[in-house]
Amino acid sequence: MDISTCLRSAAVVALAVAGCAVPAGAAGTSTPGKPPALPESGAGAAAFAYLCAAGKDLLPTGKCDTWRVVTLDGRVYSFPEALAYEKGKKADDAGEAGAFAISPDGTRVAYQRASDDRVVVRDLGSGQTLELPHRAPKGSVGSPFSLKFVRDGGLAITHPRYSDRPVTTYVEVESGTARNMPKGLTLLDVEPGSGRVTLLSEPGIGQRGWFHTVADGRTTKAKIPEKAGKHLIWGAFTARNGRAANLVPKGPPACGPDMTPVWLTVYSTTTGKMTKVKPRLPVDVSQADAIDWLGTEEIVAAASRERPGKKESTVLGTYVYAVNVKSGASRLLTKLSTGEPLFEGRLVVGGYAAAKSGAAAGKIAKPGKRGCE
């Protein structure tokens, strides 16, 4: 199991115990009860979605038993059609959440349909629902897969979510055409027109990563450097048109990783050649993952920030930045806000390609000690 898998597992455990709330702010509103259901059409582009937690066990049950979808203009809807949370048949079985994704432009959502376990994509403007050739395995609890849009027209279905060698199915949403990617590789990009596919063997501690480019029936491999400066390269990558980017964290010290981003690295996915620049993010950003490209000069970073006083740090993805790959300059695209506690940090980011920059960033906290030496 690599360090990214370890961190995801640890985060789920910690948040399940403590719960976690995204701070109230401009992009969302506090909802004292269950919000109205998502309309069949005309909802507008989505900015984010989340599962809230309720009751003494902090589970997505009761008034929190559906996904919440928040549009770019701040309207909040519940979405009962999408599987939110499912318990096992045995009383002591842990429950599992349903998978959910939002396209970069916010016009589409993907989810496991609660009524028949189908993976479907829904257009929020027209209300058109496209069934994909994939459903949850019979007898599974929750969604044993993750969903991620690849650009706006493709969907990656990765099963099982946290395996060391997951299998990803790439589906072209409009045609429904599906193809399986090589086992154990992460799908980063599929280029429209050329069909060139970029895959990743994820780097980890003591494990070098590789880019795999598949074009015209041939595969080209490029080794990822072990370090950027003195810091190990690991964590989330995003790729577009033959280039990949990664926000390198400070490091994994023995008693807990310090996820502060210290380098923004950009690579040729065919040669592995790397350039790096210091990301000019707010000083209280405690973690940031590269999740997509925004044009040719900026990447999209989903970030968490420390909060003033004794409150918990925000969830990864609360702040969404565009970061220039040449200068490191950043601008805030949006701040994702709800007054409800989140279940296991289930905050789904989307709509950033349509977001207007200049949103209020919120108070910058004095950074605390992160990780250890």
Side-chain angles (χ1 to χ4, degrees):
M1 181 180 292
D2 65 23
I3 187 68
S4 299
T5 305
C6 292
L7 287 172
R8 285 196 296 265
S9 301
V12 166
V13 172
L15 287 166
V17 174
C20 198
V22 183
T29 56
S30 178
T31 53
K34 186 182 293 187
L38 186 73
E40 291 186 4
S41 62
F48 68 106
Y50 67 95
L51 280 180
C52 66
K56 63 180 181 178
D57 295 324
L58 291 176
L59 295 175
T61 54
K63 71 181 183 69
C64 288
D65 64 351
T66 67
W67 279 96
R68 309 289 210 241
V69 177
V70 185
T71 60
L72 286 172
D73 59 7
R75 290 174 294 172
V76 184
Y77 298 107
S78 65
F79 194 16
E81 183 177 325
L83 178 69
Y85 179 79
E86 187 174 27
K87 286 202 59 130
K89 294 181 179 180
K90 297 180 181 179
D92 56 349
D93 283 349
E96 289 289 342
F100 203 92
I102 303 172
S103 64
D105 63 7
T107 62
R108 290 171 163 177
V109 294
Y111 53 93
Q112 178 183 339
R113 190 161 55 194
S115 60
D116 60 3
D117 290 334
R118 280 279 186 190
V119 175
V120 297
V121 173
R122 178 169 171 177
D123 186 287
L124 296 178
S126 68
Q128 180 186 21
T129 296
L130 301 171
E131 292 187 3
L132 304 186
H134 194 94
R135 70 167 71 231
K138 186 176 181 180
S140 63
V141 177
S143 298
F145 47 76
S146 63
L147 300 173
K148 180 178 174 59
F149 279 93
V150 181
R151 307 198 185 214
D152 287 313
L155 189 72
I157 306 171
T158 302
H159 174 87
R161 288 176 296 180
Y162 301 142
S163 169
D164 289 334
R165 290 182 58 79
V167 177
T168 296
T169 301
Y170 173 73
V171 182
E172 295 178 1
V173 174
E174 294 295 340
S175 65
T177 303
R179 50 180 163 153
N180 289 331
M181 299 292 116
K183 189 174 183 178
L185 300 182
T186 300
L187 176 63
L188 295 181
D189 189 32
V190 179
E191 295 181 30
S194 71
R196 181 169 67 170
V197 176
T198 303
L199 301 143
L200 172 72
S201 298
E202 295 190 31
I205 296 176
Q207 173 184 326
R208 297 290 292 274
W210 293 80
F211 296 115
H212 304 247
T213 302
V214 183
D216 300 322
R218 298 179 59 187
T219 299
T220 303
K221 292 178 63 177
K223 184 180 290 188
I224 299 171
E226 183 179 4
K227 293 183 177 181
K230 64 179 182 180
H231 301 282
L232 287 172
I233 295 171
W234 49 288
F237 285 75
T238 183
R240 181 71 63 93
N241 298 332
R243 291 190 300 166
N246 169 264
L247 283 161
V248 180
K250 185 175 181 181
C255 61
D258 182 346
M259 299 298 290
T260 309
V262 293
W263 291 111
L264 166 56
T265 52
V266 178
Y267 311 81
S268 164
T269 57
T270 55
T271 67
K273 183 180 179 180
M274 179 187 75
T275 61
K276 65 182 190 295
V277 65
K278 287 285 186 182
R280 290 156 55 190
L281 291 162
V283 294
D284 64 342
V285 167
S286 53
Q287 182 178 357
D289 281 351
I291 61 172
D292 205 350
W293 284 76
L294 199 63
T296 59
E297 300 299 321
E298 294 178 308
I299 63 160
V300 181
S304 60
R305 284 172 51 177
E306 295 180 347
R307 298 176 65 185
K310 298 181 179 179
K311 296 180 180 179
E312 296 287 336
S313 295
T314 61
V315 173
L316 186 67
T318 302
Y319 295 88
V320 184
Y321 295 94
V323 188
N324 190 284
V325 297
K326 293 182 178 179
S327 68
S330 66
R331 56 192 179 94
L332 181 68
L333 292 175
T334 187
K335 177 184 176 184
L336 310 181
S337 306
T338 172
E340 296 184 298
L342 296 188
F343 171 68
E344 295 185 350
R346 297 301 174 113
L347 179 69
V348 177
V349 179
Y352 41 79
K356 296 179 180 179
S357 60
K363 183 177 179 181
I364 293 179
K366 181 180 179 180
K369 186 177 181 181
R370 298 168 181 165
C372 62
E373 300 300 331

